[in-house]
Amino acid sequence: SQQGEEDPQALSIQEGENATMNCSYKTSINNLQWYRQNSGRGLVHLILIRSNEREKHSGRLRVTLDTSKKSSSLLITASRAADTASYFCATDGVRRGSTLGRLYFGRGTQLTVWP
Amino acid sequence: DARVTQTPRHKVTEMGQEVTMRCQPILGHNTVFWYRQTMMQGLELLAYFRNRAPLDDSGMPKDRFSAEMPDATLATLKIQPSEPRDSAVYFCASGLAKDRLVATNEKLFFGSGTQLSVL
């Protein structure tokens, strides 16, 4: 499977702490994206990092990409209770035998931030 | 704000019935994705359209599922006949792809999903 796999499956922290989630994938990618999903809602895009980028920031979010290790990490600094959600990585990879990209999601990390 | 609209939000039906889910992508987007989310399988890619043409529906059970884009403002996912194992949340997402090799150059916008329960 080309799917990205997030690690850990679940993460529980206190407000103010940092949360780090990791994503590993198997094939070459065009870009990697992180999404957030609140319970019962659709996914919301957080950040996109292209294969030629190594790090990207957006507010309290920091994403790194290591294409040699086929891995990415999402860091949320100074977490808040409102950050409680599931976080997914999505890889835009090239399917073997085809020139067209696909976007595959991992199973997600459930983050709980306690007040 | 531009958004992807999915209808219905909830659907309860009996096994064997036809189910049609609709999606209105964001105007100007040229890619549409259908995903199914379950606890066991996570988010599964069912079908993928670019410029209204189906590019990949290999994730979809062909005998009962069909996906179409009759026009640029409407994507449909049909299940006929439905089965209890089809119970899931079905998401539609749209985006913009500029390159042939890329699924999407920018972020995807997701609808709120259709919660399907087949009894």
Side-chain angles (χ1 to χ4, degrees):
Chain A
S1 167
Q2 290 186 205
Q3 285 179 333
E5 293 296 333
E6 293 88 346
D7 171 64
Q9 289 187 345
L11 181 60
S12 186
I13 59 175
Q14 294 290 132
E15 264 192 331
E17 294 181 341
N18 295 342
T20 299
M21 289 159 270
N22 302 296
C23 171
S24 59
Y25 57 91
K26 296 180 180 178
T27 66
S28 298
I29 60 169
N30 300 300
N31 62 61
L32 184 146
Q33 305 177 39
W34 285 90
Y35 288 79
R36 164 195 169 126
Q37 183 180 33
N38 287 81
S39 180
R41 310 291 290 272
L43 281 76
V44 175
H45 182 268
L46 294 176
I47 201 162
L48 180 152
I49 186 165
R50 304 187 194 282
S51 60
N52 61 353
E53 297 176 312
R54 291 297 166 258
E55 188 170 312
K56 212 161 183 182
H57 296 256
S58 177
R60 294 183 296 112
L61 306 180
R62 172 177 169 253
V63 168
T64 61
L65 179 64
D66 187 336
T67 53
S68 66
K69 295 181 179 178
K70 292 186 168 56
S71 67
S72 173
S73 67
L74 170 67
L75 169 67
I76 304 174
T77 60
S79 63
R80 306 166 182 167
D83 294 329
T84 294
S86 292
Y87 292 82
F88 296 86
C89 71
T91 50
D92 186 342
V94 179
R95 183 176 179 182
R96 187 177 301 166
S98 169
T99 57
L100 298 173
R102 308 288 188 271
L103 195 65
Y104 290 102
F105 285 80
R107 291 179 174 274
T109 292
Q110 173 62 53
L111 173 66
T112 302
V113 182
W114 298 99
Chain B
D1 285 343
R3 60 183 183 138
V4 175
T5 303
Q6 283 188 252
T7 57
R9 287 280 283 125
H10 303 276
K11 176 72 176 179
V12 179
T13 191
E14 292 186 345
M15 183 173 62
Q17 296 297 306
E18 177 178 302
V19 175
T20 298
M21 290 167 272
R22 294 178 173 81
C23 168
Q24 181 176 357
I26 290 174
L27 189 65
H29 283 181
N30 62 354
T31 61
V32 173
F33 297 78
W34 282 103
Y35 288 92
R36 174 170 65 182
Q37 186 176 37
T38 61
M39 288 294 291
M40 292 296 293
Q41 301 296 331
L43 276 157
E44 299 174 273
L45 176 63
L46 296 177
Y48 163 37
F49 291 79
R50 183 176 296 193
N51 297 320
R52 294 177 55 202
L55 293 188
D56 185 3
D57 58 4
S58 59
M60 210 163 61
K62 301 289 191 307
D63 56 338
R64 300 184 300 107
F65 283 61
S66 62
E68 296 179 344
M69 277 201 77
D71 61 62
T73 65
L74 177 64
T76 62
L77 180 66
K78 290 185 180 181
I79 309 174
Q80 169 62 21
S82 58
E83 298 180 1
R85 60 179 167 154
D86 301 329
S87 297
V89 181
Y90 292 80
F91 287 104
C92 171
S94 72
L96 185 63
K98 301 173 186 173
D99 305 320
R100 180 174 173 77
L101 295 176
V102 178
T104 177
N105 290 89
E106 305 297 334
K107 61 185 179 183
L108 289 189
F109 290 78
F110 277 76
S112 297
T114 293
Q115 172 77 59
L116 174 65
S117 297
V118 183
L119 306 178

